Amino acid sequence: MKHLKACLAFAAALAIVSTVVPARAEPLKNIVLVHGAWVDASGWKPVYEILTKEGFHVTMVQEPETSFADDVTAAKRILDLQDGPTLLVGHSYGGSIITEAGVHPNVVGLVYVAAHAPDVGEDEGALGKKMPSVLAKTEGAIKKTPDQYTYLNPADFPKLFAPDLPREQAEFESRSQVLAAAQVFNTPLTAAAWKTKPSWGIVAESDKIINPDLERWYYARAKSHTTEIKGASHSVYESHPKEVAAVITEAARSAEKLAAR
């Protein structure tokens, strides 16, 4: 009888423990990377290689850049495929995408890499005008097709988007741009995940596409853990992959601990 009571007591104790273990206590292994406008996910390869060697399951989003809604849907589609807690990373315009898509239940943290981070009702186009970048001050750098798709003048791309990349690489990227619908930059957000989820931000100190002061302002408002990379261009994820991967890794470990509380 005493043995039976002991077994029942032990079983009850196990039941209590199981109810207090957080649902998000499982290890964070999933990282989703979101690229910015005019480029594609292949630029993440140097960061991807570092993160996968560290044991992370890394997936890139290839957004179509046909509309903000389409791009957010593309990100959510990839998030739906993740099998647990996920760190969501966005570069440049990708920051707006992760801000909107980051409310997804799988997302436990956000990383902004030289990125926009608007609030609900805001759009990055209007915010960019408050702190103009070198790009914004360079006449004729942004071209537009008759059907309202934008791209960077290939002659300006290397010096504005990727001055710290090898010239041949920058020129190739200038000729392989993904044209972005003009409306993607001016669509107000309906969600701001950084309000409810921890975030990290990387400032590219020599960014000519987004004013570095605007990046600092975004991250300060979001209370992001901020890292500045000196001399880095807008292509910081390609030119400084080790530093970017280090921030992402630290964010993943920190987000995992926070989610387990």
Side-chain angles (χ1 to χ4, degrees):
M1 189 68 177
K2 288 182 179 180
H3 177 69
L4 176 60
K5 288 182 178 180
C7 289
L8 291 173
F10 180 68
L14 284 178
I16 292 172
V17 170
S18 67
T19 62
V20 299
V21 173
R24 291 292 188 180
E26 55 188 304
L28 194 163
K29 289 293 184 181
N30 301 321
I31 297 176
V32 170
L33 306 175
V34 182
H35 65 79
W38 305 319
V39 291
D40 62 30
S42 64
W44 282 115
K45 186 178 180 182
V47 171
Y48 165 86
E49 291 176 340
I50 295 171
L51 294 175
T52 53
K53 286 179 180 178
E54 293 180 1
F56 290 105
H57 173 258
V58 186
T59 309
M60 277 70 64
V61 175
Q62 289 279 24
E63 64 262 25
E65 302 183 40
T66 47
S67 74
F68 182 63
D70 289 345
D71 294 343
V72 171
T73 296
K76 288 182 176 179
R77 188 176 296 120
I78 297 301
L79 290 171
D80 285 341
L81 298 176
Q82 305 309 301
D83 60 0
T86 302
L87 186 71
L88 185 57
V89 183
H91 170 252
S92 191
Y93 160 64
S96 292
I97 297 172
I98 71 170
T99 298
E100 182 90 9
V103 296
H104 191 285
N106 281 341
V107 177
V108 296
L110 309 163
V111 180
Y112 293 92
V113 181
H116 290 284
D119 198 351
V120 174
E122 296 178 343
D123 65 83
E124 64 180 64
L127 292 169
K129 291 178 181 178
K130 295 181 178 180
M131 295 185 196
S133 63
V134 174
L135 169 63
K137 298 175 182 178
T138 304
E139 187 175 353
I142 298 178
K143 301 294 186 181
K144 190 179 294 185
T145 64
D147 60 347
Q148 301 300 298
Y149 275 73
T150 66
Y151 62 99
L152 275 181
N153 180 2
D156 291 319
F157 190 102
K159 62 184 178 183
L160 293 177
F161 200 102
D164 55 356
L165 292 183
R167 182 75 185 188
E168 295 79 7
Q169 182 179 349
E171 288 181 348
F172 177 81
E173 291 185 10
S174 77
R175 296 294 179 178
S176 59
Q177 293 183 59
V178 180
L179 276 63
Q183 62 175 306
V184 305
F185 306 113
N186 302 304
T187 302
L189 272 66
T190 61
W194 52 259
K195 286 187 170 182
T196 58
K197 299 183 181 184
S199 62
W200 289 257
I202 294 176
V203 175
E205 192 184 55
S206 298
D207 200 330
K208 295 180 180 179
I209 301 296
I210 301 176
N211 188 326
D213 285 336
L214 179 57
E215 295 171 14
R216 295 183 183 102
W217 179 79
Y218 278 134
Y219 307 156
R221 181 174 68 168
K223 297 180 175 58
S224 304
H225 306 273
T226 303
T227 299
E228 299 208 8
I229 301 180
K230 293 184 178 181
S233 77
H234 196 58
S235 293
V236 59
Y237 61 111
E238 296 178 279
S239 61
H240 293 75
K242 290 182 180 178
E243 294 95 321
V244 171
V247 172
I248 295 173
T249 298
E250 177 58 30
R253 291 169 178 164
S254 299
E256 179 180 327
K257 291 176 183 178
L258 291 171
R261 290 180 181 176

Short mmCIF file of all heavy atoms in Angstrom, two decimals, residues 191-213:
data_model
loop_
_atom_site.label_atom_id
_atom_site.label_comp_id
_atom_site.label_asym_id
_atom_site.label_seq_id
_atom_site.Cartn_x
_atom_site.Cartn_y
_atom_site.Cartn_z
N ALA A 191 1.46 45.40 -38.58
CA ALA A 191 1.96 44.71 -37.37
C ALA A 191 3.40 45.13 -37.15
O ALA A 191 4.11 45.48 -38.10
CB ALA A 191 1.87 43.20 -37.53
N ALA A 192 3.82 45.11 -35.90
CA ALA A 192 5.20 45.46 -35.56
C ALA A 192 5.70 44.45 -34.52
O ALA A 192 5.54 44.64 -33.31
CB ALA A 192 5.31 46.88 -35.03
N ALA A 193 6.32 43.39 -35.00
CA ALA A 193 6.73 42.29 -34.12
C ALA A 193 7.75 42.72 -33.07
O ALA A 193 7.82 42.11 -32.00
CB ALA A 193 7.29 41.14 -34.95
N TRP A 194 8.55 43.75 -33.36
CA TRP A 194 9.55 44.18 -32.39
C TRP A 194 8.95 44.74 -31.10
O TRP A 194 9.64 44.89 -30.10
CB TRP A 194 10.52 45.19 -33.01
CG TRP A 194 9.90 46.39 -33.68
CD1 TRP A 194 9.73 46.57 -35.02
CD2 TRP A 194 9.40 47.59 -33.07
NE1 TRP A 194 9.14 47.80 -35.29
CE2 TRP A 194 8.94 48.45 -34.10
CE3 TRP A 194 9.29 48.03 -31.75
CZ2 TRP A 194 8.39 49.71 -33.85
CZ3 TRP A 194 8.74 49.29 -31.49
CH2 TRP A 194 8.29 50.10 -32.53
N LYS A 195 7.64 45.01 -31.12
CA LYS A 195 6.98 45.50 -29.91
C LYS A 195 6.78 44.39 -28.88
O LYS A 195 6.67 44.67 -27.67
CB LYS A 195 5.63 46.12 -30.26
CG LYS A 195 5.72 47.48 -30.93
CD LYS A 195 4.35 48.09 -31.09
CE LYS A 195 4.45 49.55 -31.53
NZ LYS A 195 3.11 50.18 -31.64
N THR A 196 6.73 43.16 -29.34
CA THR A 196 6.43 42.05 -28.43
C THR A 196 7.53 40.97 -28.39
O THR A 196 7.46 40.07 -27.56
CB THR A 196 5.10 41.38 -28.82
OG1 THR A 196 5.19 40.92 -30.17
CG2 THR A 196 3.95 42.36 -28.69
N LYS A 197 8.51 41.07 -29.28
CA LYS A 197 9.55 40.06 -29.33
C LYS A 197 10.93 40.72 -29.28
O LYS A 197 11.11 41.82 -29.80
CB LYS A 197 9.40 39.21 -30.60
CG LYS A 197 8.06 38.48 -30.62
CD LYS A 197 7.86 37.57 -31.80
CE LYS A 197 6.48 36.91 -31.74
NZ LYS A 197 6.25 35.93 -32.82
N PRO A 198 11.90 40.06 -28.63
CA PRO A 198 13.23 40.66 -28.51
C PRO A 198 13.88 40.83 -29.87
O PRO A 198 13.64 40.05 -30.79
CB PRO A 198 13.98 39.64 -27.65
CG PRO A 198 13.28 38.34 -27.88
CD PRO A 198 11.83 38.71 -28.04
N SER A 199 14.70 41.87 -29.99
CA SER A 199 15.32 42.14 -31.28
C SER A 199 16.77 42.56 -31.12
O SER A 199 17.19 43.06 -30.08
CB SER A 199 14.54 43.21 -32.04
OG SER A 199 14.53 44.44 -31.33
N TRP A 200 17.51 42.35 -32.20
CA TRP A 200 18.91 42.74 -32.30
C TRP A 200 19.07 43.52 -33.58
O TRP A 200 18.37 43.27 -34.58
CB TRP A 200 19.80 41.49 -32.32
CG TRP A 200 19.87 40.79 -31.00
CD1 TRP A 200 20.90 40.83 -30.10
CD2 TRP A 200 18.87 39.94 -30.40
NE1 TRP A 200 20.60 40.08 -28.99
CE2 TRP A 200 19.35 39.52 -29.15
CE3 TRP A 200 17.61 39.51 -30.81
CZ2 TRP A 200 18.62 38.69 -28.30
CZ3 TRP A 200 16.87 38.68 -29.97
CH2 TRP A 200 17.38 38.27 -28.74
N GLY A 201 19.98 44.49 -33.58
CA GLY A 201 20.16 45.31 -34.78
C GLY A 201 21.63 45.53 -35.11
O GLY A 201 22.45 45.70 -34.22
N ILE A 202 21.93 45.49 -36.40
CA ILE A 202 23.28 45.76 -36.88
C ILE A 202 23.27 47.06 -37.68
O ILE A 202 22.50 47.19 -38.65
CB ILE A 202 23.80 44.61 -37.76
CG1 ILE A 202 23.98 43.34 -36.92
CG2 ILE A 202 25.11 44.99 -38.44
CD1 ILE A 202 24.39 42.12 -37.74
N VAL A 203 24.10 48.00 -37.29
CA VAL A 203 24.27 49.25 -38.02
C VAL A 203 25.48 49.10 -38.93
O VAL A 203 26.58 48.79 -38.47
CB VAL A 203 24.49 50.44 -37.07
CG1 VAL A 203 24.78 51.72 -37.87
CG2 VAL A 203 23.29 50.64 -36.15
N ALA A 204 25.28 49.30 -40.22
CA ALA A 204 26.40 49.34 -41.17
C ALA A 204 26.88 50.78 -41.19
O ALA A 204 26.21 51.66 -41.74
CB ALA A 204 25.95 48.88 -42.55
N GLU A 205 28.02 51.02 -40.59
CA GLU A 205 28.46 52.39 -40.32
C GLU A 205 28.63 53.24 -41.58
O GLU A 205 28.43 54.47 -41.54
CB GLU A 205 29.78 52.36 -39.55
CG GLU A 205 30.19 53.70 -38.97
CD GLU A 205 31.55 53.64 -38.29
OE1 GLU A 205 32.53 53.23 -38.94
OE2 GLU A 205 31.62 53.98 -37.10
N SER A 206 28.99 52.62 -42.71
CA SER A 206 29.20 53.37 -43.95
C SER A 206 28.10 53.10 -44.97
O SER A 206 28.33 53.18 -46.19
CB SER A 206 30.58 53.03 -44.54
OG SER A 206 31.61 53.41 -43.65
N ASP A 207 26.92 52.79 -44.49
CA ASP A 207 25.77 52.48 -45.36
C ASP A 207 25.37 53.71 -46.17
O ASP A 207 25.18 54.80 -45.62
CB ASP A 207 24.59 52.03 -44.49
CG ASP A 207 23.55 51.26 -45.27
OD1 ASP A 207 23.39 51.50 -46.48
OD2 ASP A 207 22.89 50.39 -44.66
N LYS A 208 25.22 53.53 -47.49
CA LYS A 208 24.80 54.62 -48.37
C LYS A 208 23.38 54.42 -48.89
O LYS A 208 22.85 55.31 -49.56
CB LYS A 208 25.78 54.75 -49.54
CG LYS A 208 27.18 55.16 -49.11
CD LYS A 208 28.12 55.28 -50.30
CE LYS A 208 29.52 55.69 -49.84
NZ LYS A 208 30.46 55.80 -51.00
N ILE A 209 22.79 53.27 -48.59
CA ILE A 209 21.43 52.98 -49.04
C ILE A 209 20.42 53.41 -47.97
O ILE A 209 19.38 54.02 -48.27
CB ILE A 209 21.25 51.49 -49.37
CG1 ILE A 209 22.23 51.06 -50.47
CG2 ILE A 209 19.80 51.21 -49.80
CD1 ILE A 209 22.02 51.75 -51.81
N ILE A 210 20.70 53.09 -46.71
CA ILE A 210 19.90 53.55 -45.57
C ILE A 210 20.84 54.39 -44.70
O ILE A 210 21.96 53.96 -44.40
CB ILE A 210 19.33 52.38 -44.75
CG1 ILE A 210 18.44 51.48 -45.61
CG2 ILE A 210 18.53 52.90 -43.55
CD1 ILE A 210 17.93 50.25 -44.88
N ASN A 211 20.38 55.54 -44.30
CA ASN A 211 21.18 56.39 -43.43
C ASN A 211 21.48 55.63 -42.13
O ASN A 211 20.55 55.18 -41.44
CB ASN A 211 20.41 57.68 -43.12
CG ASN A 211 21.25 58.71 -42.38
OD1 ASN A 211 22.10 58.38 -41.57
ND2 ASN A 211 20.98 59.97 -42.67
N PRO A 212 22.75 55.48 -41.75
CA PRO A 212 23.07 54.77 -40.50
C PRO A 212 22.38 55.37 -39.28
O PRO A 212 22.05 54.65 -38.33
CB PRO A 212 24.60 54.91 -40.40
CG PRO A 212 25.05 55.04 -41.82
CD PRO A 212 23.97 55.86 -42.49
N ASP A 213 22.14 56.68 -39.30
CA ASP A 213 21.44 57.31 -38.18
C ASP A 213 19.98 56.84 -38.11
O ASP A 213 19.41 56.76 -37.01
CB ASP A 213 21.48 58.83 -38.29
CG ASP A 213 22.85 59.41 -37.94
OD1 ASP A 213 23.59 58.74 -37.19
OD2 ASP A 213 23.17 60.52 -38.40
#
